Amino acid sequence: MKKDYEEQIQKLLARMTVEEKIGQLQQCGPSLVGAFDVSFEELLNMMFDGRITQEEFNRLMGTAQQDFHEEDLRAGKIGSYNGIGDSATANRLQKIAVEETRLGIPLLFGYDVIHGFRTVTPIPLAESCAWEPELWERTGRVAAEEATAAGIHMTFAPMVDVAKDARWGRVSEGAGEDVLLNGLYGAAKVRGFQGDDLSRENAMAACLKHFAAYGAVEAGQDYNRVDMSMQRLWEEYMPAYKACVDAGARAVMPAFNDINGVPCTVNSWLMRDVLRERWGFDGLVISDSNAIAECVNHGIAEDKKDAAKQAILAGMDMDMSSNSYISCLKELVESGEVPEQILDEAAADVLRIKFELGLFDDPYQTDEERESHAMLKEESRALAREAAVKSIVLLKNENKVLPLKADAKIGLFGSLASDKEQMTGAWAIGAKPEDCVSILEACRMRGIPFQYSENLTDAEKIAADSDVLVAAIGEMKEESGEAASRADITLSPEHMALIEGLLATGKPVVAVLFNGRPLAIPKLAQKVPAIVEAWHLGVEAGNAVLDVLYGDVNPSGKLTVTFPAAAGQCPMYYAHINTGRPGGKSKFTSKYLDAPVEPLYPFGYGLSYTAYSYGDLEVKKEDEALLVSVSVTNTGDRDGQETAQCYVQDRAAKRVRPVRQLKAFEKVSLKAGETKTVSFRIPFSELCYYDWDMKEVPCEGFLKVYVGGDCQAALTGEICL
Ligand code: BGC
């Protein structure tokens, strides 16, 4: 239940000076001083792009002298910190805020808790392949339990940027290419992070990001422009953000990119008209890192002062890291260029979230004792393993190479099979490499007969002693995430050479892929009999991979992104439109000369050790909704879980519509031989779209319905609405 703090907020505002109000809008991170001269942000970047390892980063952070800008804090010039993830530091700074500033307003600590804190769970893209909102919520809850114990009040998550371009590195941070899935994923995370009472010590405010359409950056190049029709924006991108606002997310981060020429950071249409007025959002809006100052680079502001003015007028409450507000707002308010009322509104938004989080009642919500007990609990690890297993997608399994027999001797290859740190993926801020289980370690723990080599040295000898060869290949964690766009999304020559070398031994090869984005792997798909898409799975990666390889668990993950056959097909996504000349065999159709029309692996796809068939499709309608039912049968000899998916296509609308759009899905457990009926009820309101004049119009006339185990669904029905 959301409480109303408006009276307290107004009373406090009345006592605050202009400087103190501006101070509340300032978020900064610690700067590092001493032996080296790099900012905290730069050091973080160095870790993310692989110039230093996570261990080195942790060591530097632990030993370097850090400048927390305490003088500014005492003077009431800081309202929030980013990048502090331990209770001792958080409480020490909080004490200064509470006891040594004139008004004693507590600090708000934000950090990027993207997929778990210490118990690192699969990257969001991986976890989305579980198609299980309830799981997404539970992992969000564990993340919040741990992160709040480390002093964090707000996470910069969930990211619900619909991402249709595999070249974009941040595909890894969201739930893939579909807007419905992103909305459901985001809403589940919001519920998990925040719980049902934000004032509880283990509740963490969710800051949804990046508002809006950051996933549509041109050519998949990070930070690039976004230029799209309003119809597309509203149909394919906005609903995911709205779902998070509706789920009660208390903060929003506008995106780095511009939309149709106006950077989101200074976009009053986005922040005021859409977010606040249309969607009724009354929480905190915080800029992305340094984004306000970067409006000068965008060529939309003359200088930092102009950028600060435009941002606050457009509705940006808090300035992350750019120091634009703290250095320019006072002058802007004094000159009347920014009305004090606007400043008051922004400060009120900061105070509101602090009240809601219970920080005025208890500014110290954790301590070292709580912190030491909260991390990596047995049940949290178990959940991380469950999530990791459910995230794995079996892409290929020729000749039933998998599951392996219990006594199979394995030849294990590739550095990714032993590198614990690599298991976490991008943005794992609380991770400790020693917490992660690699495949190698998991083999040891299980007592599996195996031999290991990072490369082809001894490959023949190892192969001669082994029944099957398992190669861990893919991407290093630095190759996805922020500022990690790739023009070539194939496997590295080293990884392909490893595969070729192993195939040459004549033993069956299983490729286990660790990666943060879809890869273009047509050669691998052609040559290797079994491919397991493991993504970056977190602390339980090795155990989860073996659970699947040995069939302890029947794989059930389904892709939430299309795997193209070549990077040149990007952006490639299932919900495309048809054009007047849909790609086909004849020359004058929409396609490339040197790449297939079809993807390598379609959206929604994923194999299992059993098989499923679909039948008895019924499509009916009632007053307000479409009713679809189908029977799903497990035709194999193993129990399993199948995600039945329902897509629609409006065949003749006022505007061209996607060839398929996911409208509903259900994950069902089926015993070997068992049949269940799955029913979907899709309200007509969810079939609406926007016409040329941006009027929402109902779907009328013939609607095609497709149901099956992926977007190329087996069964087709039709109904006239
Ligand atoms: C990223 C955000 C992140 C922020 C704070 C930025 O570079 O774009 O997603 O939340 O840094 O760390």
Side-chain angles (χ1 to χ4, degrees):
M1 259 295 287
K2 229 173 88 187
K3 291 194 203 117
D4 186 352
Y5 294 99
E6 295 322 300
E7 217 185 296
Q8 282 143 288
I9 292 169
Q10 290 312 322
K11 268 194 193 148
L12 189 47
L13 271 178
R15 294 171 56 208
M16 292 167 75
T17 63
V18 165
E19 288 89 335
E20 284 165 336
K21 291 173 192 170
I22 295 169
Q24 285 304 303
L25 313 187
Q26 162 80 345
Q27 183 183 73
C28 63
S31 318
L32 296 178
V33 287
F36 46 90
D37 184 23
V38 273
S39 68
F40 169 70
E41 283 82 8
E42 177 61 8
L43 198 68
L44 257 185
N45 286 341
M46 286 167 74
M47 175 180 64
F48 289 137
D49 61 25
R51 280 179 281 159
I52 56 171
T53 65
Q54 181 151 1
E55 264 167 328
E56 247 170 304
F57 173 81
N58 291 342
R59 191 182 57 73
L60 288 170
M61 289 300 284
T63 54
Q65 219 187 321
Q66 295 183 34
D67 179 359
F68 293 97
H69 314 287
E70 288 163 32
E71 280 319 302
D72 288 345
L73 175 57
R74 274 189 193 92
K77 291 182 177 168
I78 296 175
S80 174
Y81 281 91
N82 175 19
I84 290 168
D86 71 279
S87 64
T89 311
N91 284 345
R92 189 174 65 71
L93 296 171
Q94 191 67 297
K95 196 157 187 283
I96 298 177
V98 172
E99 293 181 8
E100 299 183 46
T101 65
R102 191 178 76 91
L103 294 170
I105 300 173
L107 287 163
L108 171 76
F109 293 102
Y111 213 163
D112 294 270
V113 184
I114 308 296
H115 50 111
F117 184 67
R118 177 83 180 267
T119 306
V120 182
T121 47
I123 54 166
L125 178 61
E127 204 190 6
S128 68
C129 294
W131 294 63
E132 205 176 306
E134 185 263 342
L135 173 75
W136 303 333
E137 183 171 338
R138 280 192 291 142
T139 49
R141 189 84 293 279
V142 168
E145 299 268 358
E146 293 190 350
T148 55
I152 296 165
H153 304 133
M154 172 170 72
T155 174
F156 303 119
M159 183 191 104
V160 289
D161 301 324
V162 167
K164 304 179 197 233
D165 195 322
R167 293 170 296 181
W168 191 48
R170 305 195 79 167
V171 166
S172 62
E173 296 174 50
E177 72 186 48
D178 183 72
V179 64
L180 175 71
L181 279 181
N182 268 281
L184 291 169
Y185 170 87
K189 286 292 175 199
V190 170
R191 292 193 300 272
F193 292 148
Q194 298 192 162
D196 48 20
D197 179 356
L198 207 58
S199 71
R200 293 225 173 99
E201 61 175 24
N202 64 1
M204 173 165 71
C207 176
L208 74 92
K209 66 189 189 186
H210 304 86
F211 190 53
Y214 184 28
V217 283
E218 198 168 274
Q221 189 179 320
D222 213 358
Y223 316 121
N224 211 353
R225 75 183 302 180
V226 172
D227 196 317
M228 66 166 67
S229 72
M230 280 295 161
Q231 284 93 345
R232 195 160 195 202
L233 183 66
W234 278 99
E235 286 170 16
E236 300 176 27
Y237 294 87
M238 289 302 222
Y241 304 106
K242 176 152 192 303
C244 296
V245 171
D246 290 347
R250 297 307 291 140
V252 172
M253 181 188 290
F256 280 128
N257 55 279
D258 72 277
I259 293 185
N260 301 342
V262 182
C264 299
T265 305
V266 292
N267 196 320
S268 72
W269 174 77
L270 263 185
M271 291 184 274
R272 293 199 185 277
D273 301 3
V274 175
L275 186 62
R276 297 207 185 266
E277 268 170 46
R278 269 203 231 180
W279 295 353
F281 177 77
D282 66 352
L284 176 70
V285 180
I286 173 165
S287 80
D288 203 337
S289 187
N290 203 41
I292 298 180
E294 286 168 18
C295 286
V296 178
N297 293 343
H298 275 289
I300 200 102
E302 278 175 16
D303 51 24
K304 220 164 156 168
K305 186 173 165 193
D306 187 16
K309 175 180 155 186
Q310 291 190 40
I312 196 157
L313 291 178
M316 183 71 79
D317 296 324
M318 189 176 266
D319 174 3
M320 182 193 283
S321 308
S322 89
N323 296 326
S324 305
Y325 282 3
I326 203 73
S327 54
C328 309
L329 269 187
K330 186 159 181 263
E331 221 177 302
L332 287 164
V333 172
E334 280 169 358
S335 68
E337 286 171 86
V338 170
E340 192 164 345
Q341 175 62 25
I342 296 274
L343 174 63
D344 284 0
E345 283 167 17
D349 288 340
V350 179
L351 297 176
R352 186 174 305 109
I353 198 167
K354 291 182 175 180
F355 274 110
E356 289 173 353
L357 281 160
L359 295 174
F360 283 93
D361 295 332
D362 177 11
Y364 314 100
Q365 302 194 336
T366 185
D367 52 29
E368 287 173 81
E369 167 87 9
R370 183 182 154 213
E371 185 177 0
S372 68
H373 286 117
M375 304 300 162
L376 272 183
K377 288 185 182 162
E378 209 180 309
E379 59 269 30
S380 309
R381 276 207 97 110
L383 179 62
R385 185 162 174 170
E386 178 191 341
V389 166
K390 288 177 168 170
S391 302
I392 292 174
V393 184
L394 181 62
L395 294 177
K396 186 178 176 193
N397 190 20
E398 215 172 64
N399 306 326
K400 296 206 172 162
V401 172
L402 296 175
L404 302 176
K405 294 205 181 65
D407 59 356
K409 284 190 279 179
I410 297 187
L412 186 61
F413 292 88
S415 66
L416 284 167
S418 62
D419 192 332
K420 289 156 159 276
E421 188 182 334
Q422 282 298 327
M423 297 298 99
T424 59
W427 287 115
I429 54 146
K432 294 203 190 303
E434 66 268 25
D435 297 339
C436 298
V437 178
S438 63
I439 303 188
L440 180 100
E441 196 181 358
C443 285
R444 279 199 191 121
M445 290 194 295
R446 279 191 185 222
I448 287 167
F450 78 100
Q451 294 179 62
Y452 172 63
S453 172
E454 274 204 12
N455 47 39
L456 286 171
T457 324
D458 298 332
E460 279 190 21
K461 204 171 119 285
I462 294 177
D465 283 350
S466 308
D467 300 310
V468 62
L469 308 181
V470 174
I473 53 173
E475 288 184 313
M476 305 304 271
K477 69 186 175 74
E478 297 77 23
E479 289 178 279
S480 66
E482 187 175 351
S485 295
R486 294 181 62 195
D488 177 1
I489 54 168
T490 55
L491 286 168
S492 69
E494 296 75 33
H495 284 176
M496 265 326 278
L498 177 65
I499 292 291
E500 302 279 3
L502 298 182
L503 286 168
T505 67
K507 284 284 159 76
V509 176
V510 177
V512 177
L513 288 171
F514 292 105
N515 45 300
R517 59 152 60 70
L519 295 173
I521 45 169
K523 282 196 194 127
L524 189 79
Q526 193 193 1
K527 294 182 173 177
V528 169
I531 306 177
V532 175
E533 176 51 80
W535 311 109
H536 292 136
L537 289 177
V539 288
E540 285 292 324
N543 286 328
V545 168
L546 290 195
D547 286 344
V548 165
L549 291 186
Y550 282 92
D552 301 345
V553 182
N554 193 353
S556 60
K558 301 261 193 181
L559 295 179
T560 56
V561 273
T562 303
F563 271 49
Q569 291 172 311
C570 292
M572 190 178 217
Y573 49 91
Y574 84 95
H576 61 86
I577 55 135
N578 234 350
T579 80
R581 295 183 173 192
K585 286 213 169 62
S586 79
K587 178 164 168 66
F588 295 98
T589 60
S590 183
K591 64 180 176 187
Y592 297 101
L593 288 176
D594 50 1
V597 169
E598 295 297 328
L600 185 62
Y601 296 113
F603 176 87
Y605 168 85
L607 301 173
S608 140
Y609 295 148
T610 185
Y612 304 98
S613 73
Y614 287 77
D616 312 317
L617 177 64
E618 261 188 27
V619 183
K620 292 187 296 197
K621 59 180 179 180
E622 57 180 31
D623 283 354
E624 300 290 327
L626 186 69
L627 303 175
V628 179
S629 73
V630 68
S631 65
V632 190
T633 304
N634 180 343
T635 56
D637 53 9
R638 270 173 185 263
D639 301 350
Q641 285 193 306
E642 165 74 343
T643 299
Q645 302 155 39
C646 178
Y647 299 83
V648 302
Q649 179 192 18
D650 189 349
R651 271 185 37 202
K654 292 191 169 68
R655 278 184 45 236
V656 292
R657 308 283 297 129
V659 292
R660 300 248 197 305
Q661 264 189 300
L662 180 73
K663 284 294 166 192
F665 62 88
E666 195 176 322
K667 194 168 178 179
V668 274
S669 296
L670 290 165
K671 299 222 169 321
E674 192 184 9
T675 299
K676 277 186 186 163
T677 300
V678 177
S679 306
F680 303 111
R681 184 179 182 280
I682 304 164
F684 291 149
S685 57
E686 288 172 20
L687 300 175
C688 290
Y689 63 97
Y690 294 88
D691 69 9
W692 184 266
D693 302 316
M694 284 305 294
K695 243 186 32 243
E696 219 183 357
V697 287
C699 171
E700 286 168 340
F702 284 102
L703 186 78
K704 269 198 161 184
V705 177
Y706 305 87
V707 181
D710 60 46
C711 73
Q712 296 174 347
L715 299 179
T716 311
E718 194 163 54
I719 192 159
C720 190
L721 298 182

